[in-house]
Amino acid sequence: MAIATRSDLRNVAIVAHVDHGKTTLVDAMLRQTNSFAEHAHLEERAMDSNDLEREKGITILAKNTAISYKGKHATDGPVTINVIDTPGHADFGGEVERGLSMVDGVVLLVDSSEGPLPQTRFVLRKALSKHLPVVLVINKVDRSDARIGEVDDETYELFLDLDATEKQIDFPIVYTSAKAGRASVNRPEDGGMPIEEDLEPLFATLLSAIPAPEYDPEKPLQAHVTNLDASPYLGRLALCRVHQGTI
């Protein structure tokens, strides 16, 4: 069996407890990569397109978007990062599980003040059980009550408590202020901003830590449908991940 990889693709889900900044981080990633046309208006919380989501200010349905990224010093073509934004409320855990079935890695977002909370444990347990690599993002590092070092330690303890393997515990850490669109792999002072002025360190970490999808070029079409939808323009839609072949 000949296994090939799509080095121009990454599939990742962003998971966290509610209100730790998942959707805001996706907004910042879309802005930095100019994923919208120049004339397009990008609303805050662009991924929360459902009326109830915009009213409540929370994510209810898992949604996907594609980010075309080319690093500042890259010589190859752009990489398409397929991002699934998942709900943070335990009530919508089924949406999280559906999202995890479509990706090759996870961004675990943790608030720099609140640290890991109950839903953090739930989503991390699901990711570890699927043997997905994890990138830890400690967000809102510029909060006045940030306690970054303690949150680091609490997250490591959570991994140990959930019986993570040695390989799973060896996860990279990125420190971000999603609202400001800034990230760093170097830990800032509590309440301070990341040194870098963009999300370049986050994108570079995703490309190195999340494996490219593998496939067998000799196999026929194989797709995993996780949700159904409908559009007045396109008709019925099947949301799926293609594992082999082409559509």
Side-chain angles (χ1 to χ4, degrees):
M1 183 172 63
I3 296 297
T5 60
R6 284 289 302 271
S7 58
D8 61 331
L9 285 178
R10 294 296 189 277
N11 301 310
V12 62
I14 299 184
V15 298
H17 190 87
V18 64
D19 204 31
H20 279 196
K22 296 184 304 299
T23 305
T24 303
L25 181 62
V26 176
D27 283 355
M29 294 169 75
L30 289 168
R31 283 194 180 92
Q32 181 171 321
T33 54
N34 298 314
S35 296
F36 284 80
E38 289 184 12
H39 63 274
H41 171 62
L42 175 57
E43 294 188 48
E44 188 177 348
R45 302 180 63 88
M47 296 289 281
D48 286 345
S49 53
N50 179 284
D51 289 342
L52 186 59
E53 291 174 321
R54 300 205 73 84
E55 178 187 337
K56 301 292 185 183
I58 60 172
T59 301
I60 295 174
L61 302 174
K63 290 177 224 60
N64 62 292
T65 189
I67 295 171
S68 181
Y69 166 74
K70 185 170 184 178
K72 291 179 178 178
H73 310 293
T75 54
D76 300 330
V79 176
T80 298
I81 304 174
N82 293 312
V83 179
I84 295 182
D85 181 20
T86 63
H89 276 278
D91 296 348
F92 313 118
E95 290 291 316
V96 177
E97 293 195 58
R98 266 197 289 271
L100 292 180
S101 71
M102 300 183 75
V103 298
D104 303 303
V106 166
V107 170
L108 178 67
L109 206 69
V110 180
D111 186 289
S112 68
S113 173
E114 296 179 358
L117 292 176
Q119 183 70 355
T120 315
R121 170 181 287 269
F122 172 79
V123 295
L124 180 58
R125 180 188 286 116
K126 295 293 182 184
L128 294 177
S129 68
K130 292 180 178 294
H131 308 290
L132 295 171
V134 178
V135 174
L136 174 63
V137 172
I138 298 183
N139 191 32
K140 305 184 184 181
V141 293
D142 52 326
R143 282 183 61 152
S144 59
D145 56 351
R147 47 186 194 93
I148 301 170
E150 293 173 43
V151 170
D152 258 356
D153 295 339
E154 290 172 8
T155 307
Y156 272 110
E157 289 172 12
L158 179 58
F159 271 76
L160 294 170
D161 196 34
L162 294 176
D163 297 322
T165 64
E166 284 188 29
K167 187 176 181 181
Q168 288 173 324
I169 291 175
D170 187 23
F171 52 83
I173 305 175
V174 182
Y175 305 93
T176 64
S177 170
K179 204 166 187 178
R182 297 174 66 162
S184 177
V185 293
N186 301 305
R187 184 196 296 179
E189 295 291 327
D190 288 348
M193 273 286 186
I195 300 172
E196 286 79 0
E197 295 185 355
D198 55 23
L199 294 175
E200 185 76 21
L202 173 61
F203 286 119
T205 302
L206 290 181
L207 295 192
S208 62
I210 307 299
E214 297 181 340
Y215 68 99
D216 184 345
E218 297 180 1
K219 284 192 175 180
L221 173 64
Q222 182 183 61
H224 177 202
V225 177
T226 61
N227 219 336
L228 299 175
D229 203 349
S231 161
Y233 305 103
L234 300 174
R236 295 198 70 189
L237 300 172
L239 306 180
C240 65
R241 172 173 173 174
V242 176
H243 288 278
Q244 318 284 354
T246 59
I247 292 183

